[in-house]
Structure formats: C-alpha cells, structure tokens
Amino acid sequence: MDKAIALWNTAPMKLTMSITRRFGSALVYCALAFAIFLTTTYAQAPAAAQKPATGTAVNLTAKSANVSESGTPVRINILRWSNDEERNALVTALNPPPPPPAPAAGAAAGGERGERGRGGAPAAGRGGAGGGGRGRGRGDAPAAPPDPITSLTGAIDKAMTIGYIWTNEVVGYSIKYAWHALLPDGGERIILATNRRLGANTNAWKPSAPATPTDYEFTVIEIRLDPKGLGQGKTSLTTKVVIDNEAKTVALDNYAATPALLQTVKR
C-alpha cells in the first residue's frame, strides 16, 4: 500500500520532468531549424543584395591651381555613376559610326530609269519638264558628317544631372557624366563632364600656365587618386577630349603632360 502511494505521489513529478525535457528539446529543434532557415535564405539571396550599394554618393574637395585665382575651394558631389547607356551616348557622339556607303553608279542609273514615265520622259517632280526644277546629278557630294565636338556638346547637354560642382561662383555646375575605375596601384580614376565651360563667366579659371586654351562649351575633368584617396585633377580647358578605347570612355588627351588645375583633391 505504501509503495502504491509513493508511486502515486511521484507520478506527477516524473510526468512534469518528461514534459519539460520534451518541451526543451522542441525549443532546441525550433532554434536549430530557424538558424538553418536564415543561413539558407541568405545563401540563396541575390548577389546584389549581399553587396554594398554602388549608388552611394561620393563627395570630393579640392582647390584650384595654375589659374588666375588659385586656391579657390572646390566641392564635387557625385550622386551616382553613369550607366553603360549614358557612357555609350557620349562615346558614340565623339566617335560616330561611318556613314553608309553611297549607292553604286549602276544602281543609281537603274533607279533613275525606273522613275521615267512610259514615254521615256522623266517623271514629274524629279527634274523633268513638268518638275519645275533641276534633277539631282550623279556627282552630288554626300552630306558632310557632323562635327564630333558639336555632337559631344549636344550629348552632354541632353544627359541627366547626376551631381554638382561648386566653386566660389553663385551658380554651380551640373555633372552630366561620371565614370570611375580602379587603378593598378589601388588608386582611382574619375572622369566627369559638365555642360558648361568651367569659369565661363569669370576670369578665375583662366589658366596661368603656358598652354593653348580650348574652345569647348563643356568641361571634362579627369581626376587621379592614390590608394589613400588623395590626388589631383586636370581639365579640358587646356587639352583635347578624346576616346579612351581601352576604358571605353571619353577622356583627356595626354593626361601626363596636362597641367593640373585641381590640387589637394580628397575623397
């Protein structure tokens, strides 16, 4: 009888301990399952979601140099980098594809014969008796290709504003093109374009170094930074704009020989 009472008294305790062990195991299993779920979800997430955003704004500071008012503070705010479509628009404008070849003489003659009427006379409106004007001769010169600098000026002007350049002038300059790439030494190369000529309304940016100024209505700025984010910048005020075929972007011609108009550039 005493053993039965003892068993009866200990039964609730054993039941409680059993339930506790099972409940604790369930919690452990749930925690493990949740951890595995998180790990699997992160591993299957797109690579772009795991990488830091590339559209983060970039701010640069600098001072003017080798100009009539050297030492002027300059602030450059890049909101985002240009995409491939925007880059190709400028490259194509400066280096347009060749025009289609002119039709062969035989093809032109055949076309002219096809336009004649049944009686052998030229059709009206093509220089015949009823056309009221002279026909187009076979020796007409093809239309001249557009000037690359004019095309580039228009392409820069039509591009979206993706940043600003601030000097001591009242109005800033809109950045219409922003490109960058890493250099072999760990530094950075940055190329910017604005649709206005730097210092167009002031003499502060007149180059003081012996150089022949360009007559561009826009400004291309090329900046080279070292691995610490320090460097200098040069502009199209004193050098031509060309295509960098390797980087596939507009750039400055003979960067090494161009005087620096931006010093102490810091990122």
Side-chain angles (χ1 to χ4, degrees):
M1 187 65 179
D2 293 338
K3 290 183 179 180
I5 294 174
L7 291 173
W8 177 261
N9 291 334
T10 57
M13 182 179 298
K14 291 182 178 180
L15 180 61
T16 302
M17 293 177 63
S18 177
I19 294 175
T20 302
R21 284 196 300 269
R22 292 181 180 179
F23 186 70
S25 299
L27 286 178
V28 173
Y29 292 149
C30 289
L32 289 175
F34 184 67
I36 293 172
F37 170 77
L38 290 179
T39 304
T40 305
T41 302
Y42 181 80
Q44 294 177 349
Q50 300 179 23
K51 294 181 180 179
T54 57
T56 305
V58 174
N59 298 317
L60 303 172
T61 59
K63 290 186 178 181
S64 62
N66 297 316
V67 292
S68 56
E69 293 185 14
S70 297
T72 300
V74 178
R75 292 182 293 112
I76 301 174
N77 306 125
I78 305 170
L79 303 180
R80 67 170 177 85
W81 302 109
S82 300
N83 56 40
D84 291 344
E85 182 180 356
E86 294 165 333
R87 173 176 54 83
N88 292 335
L90 268 61
V91 171
T92 303
L94 188 57
N95 187 25
E112 182 178 344
R113 285 194 298 270
E115 292 174 356
R116 293 180 179 273
R118 294 181 180 179
R126 299 292 297 177
R134 298 182 59 186
R136 181 177 296 177
R138 297 180 184 178
D140 286 351
D147 176 61
I149 295 300
T150 302
S151 299
L152 180 60
T153 303
I156 294 175
D157 193 55
K158 290 189 298 184
M160 294 180 59
T161 297
I162 55 176
Y164 299 93
I165 299 175
W166 304 98
T167 65
N168 59 351
E169 301 175 58
V170 176
V171 181
Y173 297 82
S174 297
I175 297 176
K176 298 289 189 171
Y177 177 71
W179 175 92
H180 74 136
L182 294 178
L183 296 173
D185 64 353
E188 189 175 9
R189 181 187 183 193
I190 298 175
I191 296 178
L192 309 173
T194 176
N195 61 336
R196 293 172 51 215
R197 184 176 179 84
L198 200 61
N201 300 319
T202 176
N203 291 324
W205 288 91
K206 183 178 180 180
S208 58
T212 303
T214 60
D215 59 354
Y216 301 149
E217 297 179 7
F218 57 85
T219 305
V220 171
I221 302 173
E222 185 166 345
I223 298 172
R224 304 282 181 96
L225 301 176
D226 63 18
K228 296 182 180 179
L230 306 175
Q232 61 182 6
K234 305 180 180 184
T235 76
S236 60
L237 296 179
T238 58
T239 190
K240 295 181 180 180
V241 176
V242 296
I243 298 294
D244 185 332
N245 292 318
E246 183 177 355
K248 298 180 181 180
T249 180
V250 295
L252 297 181
D253 185 28
N254 198 3
Y255 178 88
T258 303
L261 300 191
L262 293 177
Q263 293 282 18
T264 63
V265 181
K266 297 180 183 179
R267 175 164 178 168

